[in-house]
Amino acid sequence: MREAPLEARIWYATLLTRVRGLRPAERLLTGGQPGAQSGARCVDPGAQRPEAQAALRLCEAEIHLAGGRLTEATTAAEAGLRLAAQAGNRGLPPRGHVVMAVCSVRALDLTTGLLYANRLRDAALLGQENLMPGQCVWAAAQALEARDGMESVAHLLKGILHDEVLTRDLLVSQPAAAPWLVRAGRRLGDTELAERTVRTMGRLALMNRSFRSVQAAAEHATGLFARDADALEAASERHLDPWARASALEDASRVRSVRVAERDRAVDLLRRAADAYLGAGASRDLARVQSRLRELDDHGGRPARGRTRVSRLTDTEFAVAELVSQGLTNGRVGSQLYISPHTVAFHLKKIFRKLDVTSRVELARSWNRILVEERGDHVRESGPDFLVRPAVAARQAG
């Protein structure tokens, strides 16, 4: 049987990725050969065109992101964006910009996240996001919320839920989106936003019974809205997306922690969430969970990082250094990490001493260099990828 053209395989792999059929999606791109490079067996004469290769790399990036592999996702997205630029294609870049925005925010690289959020905004103004409009808005909203708070994106969230196309595109293809919107509704005091999300996700689950990722998202959103810890734990088991699974564990912990009798269970769930976020390279989420662990458990529960020079920093100090190096004030850093500005200042003093710098300006100038050196010197011996990719490299793509 003759192999399908590359473009057809990419299209089918993209659909599979939306519902988290990651293994069959990867097999489609590699021609079904274990360990083969993507597109290696392709005999399609048009497969080597920059446009086709750009689509291939961007599909790979989406698969990696869905699998919780942020570093690989970013590398593939950067390659895809470069190829799309070479081909002069304006329709493909939003796919890469979504991956870059989401990866950057999860990895605490807010500067890069905002860069790609702005590019998604520009694509929307030019009508270039027609293939995945809901995901474009959601990715941009996450980056803007990380910098300016949930109130700053309230209008975007309402726009998503009042547009059927945006809603269907987003909630079916991103398992973490529905619970994120419920959480947003709670923080904004917008009960209608939360209720509408749960109702819409429930309808989509009824129409897509065979898709486990959609069922998990519906169970997660409903459990979160109802504050049902059992449902949230069940959702965490059903989720195929590692980040969404960690999110469900975190939500279940928060519900259980309200009752003193369930405090130990809440700590255990939160530790599992921390491990999952660490494995996915989600530094921002890890910092939030560790802050919560310190509240619940005097023993902390900080997952170990690789043996590098920056391991002299605690995880909170690492997160503070990353955000301060991007120019955020102590107040904004504190709101990101759920600590007070006074605590941020306290951590900064220790960071200056451990890294032998004397000011915020010097920290900002040297931080990316330190990370680059650590990546080069210790990439083989380090464990899960906690270190954030340098923003400068990301800005060169697309």
Side-chain angles (χ1 to χ4, degrees):
M1 180 177 178
R2 191 167 69 87
E3 186 174 281
L6 178 61
E7 291 183 354
R9 290 189 285 126
I10 292 171
W11 176 79
Y12 190 24
T14 298
L15 295 181
L16 287 170
T17 303
R18 297 287 193 267
V19 294
R20 297 308 184 260
L22 303 186
R23 289 184 180 177
E26 289 175 333
R27 286 197 296 269
L28 276 169
L29 297 187
T30 60
Q33 295 297 308
Q37 295 295 317
S38 295
R41 294 182 64 248
C42 182
V43 295
D44 181 359
Q48 297 307 313
R49 291 184 296 111
E51 190 171 62
Q53 287 298 307
L56 176 65
R57 298 303 172 216
L58 293 174
C59 186
E60 287 179 337
E62 291 176 347
I63 291 172
H64 287 312
L65 175 57
R69 302 182 292 272
L70 298 192
T71 299
E72 292 90 338
T74 301
T75 299
E78 289 172 349
L81 288 169
R82 284 194 297 270
L83 288 164
Q86 291 174 19
N89 184 290
R90 296 183 178 181
L92 287 172
R95 292 181 62 175
H97 296 166
V98 166
V99 172
M100 292 299 297
V102 174
C103 285
S104 299
V105 170
R106 289 182 184 177
L108 257 180
D109 185 355
L110 300 188
T111 301
T112 304
L114 289 166
L115 171 70
Y116 285 100
N118 288 332
R119 292 186 180 181
L120 288 169
R121 180 202 61 192
D122 294 342
L125 292 175
L126 295 172
Q128 296 171 353
E129 84 299 357
N130 56 317
L131 294 179
M132 44 193 296
Q135 295 183 72
C136 289
V137 174
W138 183 58
Q142 289 179 83
L144 294 169
E145 180 270 329
R147 183 188 66 178
D148 299 324
M150 192 63 74
E151 292 77 9
S152 68
V153 297
H155 63 292
L156 292 176
L157 305 185
K158 287 181 179 292
I160 291 175
L161 268 299
H162 285 83
D163 187 305
E164 184 178 348
V165 174
L166 292 179
T167 302
R168 185 172 61 250
D169 167 64
L170 174 60
L171 297 185
V172 170
S173 58
Q174 292 292 346
W180 191 86
L181 288 167
V182 172
R183 231 175 275 116
R186 284 272 176 77
R187 287 171 59 184
L188 292 168
D190 190 338
T191 304
E192 181 187 1
L193 174 63
E195 289 180 341
R196 190 181 182 93
T197 300
V198 171
R199 288 198 306 270
T200 303
M201 195 69 239
R203 288 197 299 270
L204 289 171
L206 288 173
M207 294 186 297
N208 297 274
R209 293 180 183 273
S210 60
F211 294 126
R212 177 174 163 179
S213 61
V214 178
Q215 300 303 313
E219 191 168 19
H220 190 167
T222 302
L224 184 60
F225 184 76
R227 293 184 171 87
D228 184 339
D230 290 335
L232 290 168
E233 288 193 48
S236 75
E237 295 296 326
R238 184 175 290 193
H239 270 306
L240 298 170
D241 185 302
W243 191 92
R245 186 182 306 126
S247 175
L249 289 169
E250 182 184 356
D251 288 332
S253 171
R254 193 166 290 276
V255 172
R256 293 205 184 279
S257 67
V258 174
R259 298 182 58 187
V260 175
E262 296 189 58
R263 189 66 57 87
D264 288 344
R265 178 63 177 168
V267 169
D268 178 65
L269 291 168
L270 209 53
R271 284 175 174 163
R272 288 169 56 193
D275 288 341
Y277 283 137
L278 178 62
S283 308
R284 180 177 184 241
D285 306 290
L286 178 61
R288 179 183 62 251
V289 166
Q290 288 172 339
S291 177
R292 180 64 176 162
L293 269 173
R294 284 190 293 274
E295 295 176 11
L296 296 177
D297 180 17
D298 292 337
H299 298 291
R302 178 167 60 93
R305 280 206 306 269
R307 296 174 61 83
T308 68
R309 285 187 302 148
V310 294
S311 64
R312 288 178 290 176
L313 303 178
T314 67
D315 288 327
T316 300
E317 289 166 357
F318 185 98
V320 168
E322 172 65 25
L323 293 174
V324 168
S325 72
Q326 297 178 36
L328 273 68
T329 64
N330 286 5
R332 287 304 304 159
V333 172
S335 66
Q336 289 295 313
L337 303 181
Y338 301 88
I339 56 179
S340 70
H342 176 76
T343 302
V344 173
F346 173 73
H347 285 305
L348 265 179
K349 291 180 181 179
K350 295 196 291 183
I351 292 166
F352 291 166
R353 184 176 67 255
K354 291 179 180 181
L355 297 184
D356 194 25
V357 298
T358 59
S359 68
R360 302 169 75 98
V361 173
E362 187 177 355
L363 174 62
R365 288 174 178 170
S366 60
W367 182 244
N368 277 337
R369 175 180 54 77
I370 292 171
L371 295 185
V372 170
E373 290 174 353
E374 294 298 343
R375 288 295 294 257
D377 294 343
H378 302 280
V379 66
R380 292 185 179 179
E381 65 177 285
S382 61
D385 187 13
F386 186 87
L387 298 183
V388 181
R389 291 178 57 83
V392 174
R395 292 192 195 103
Q396 294 172 349

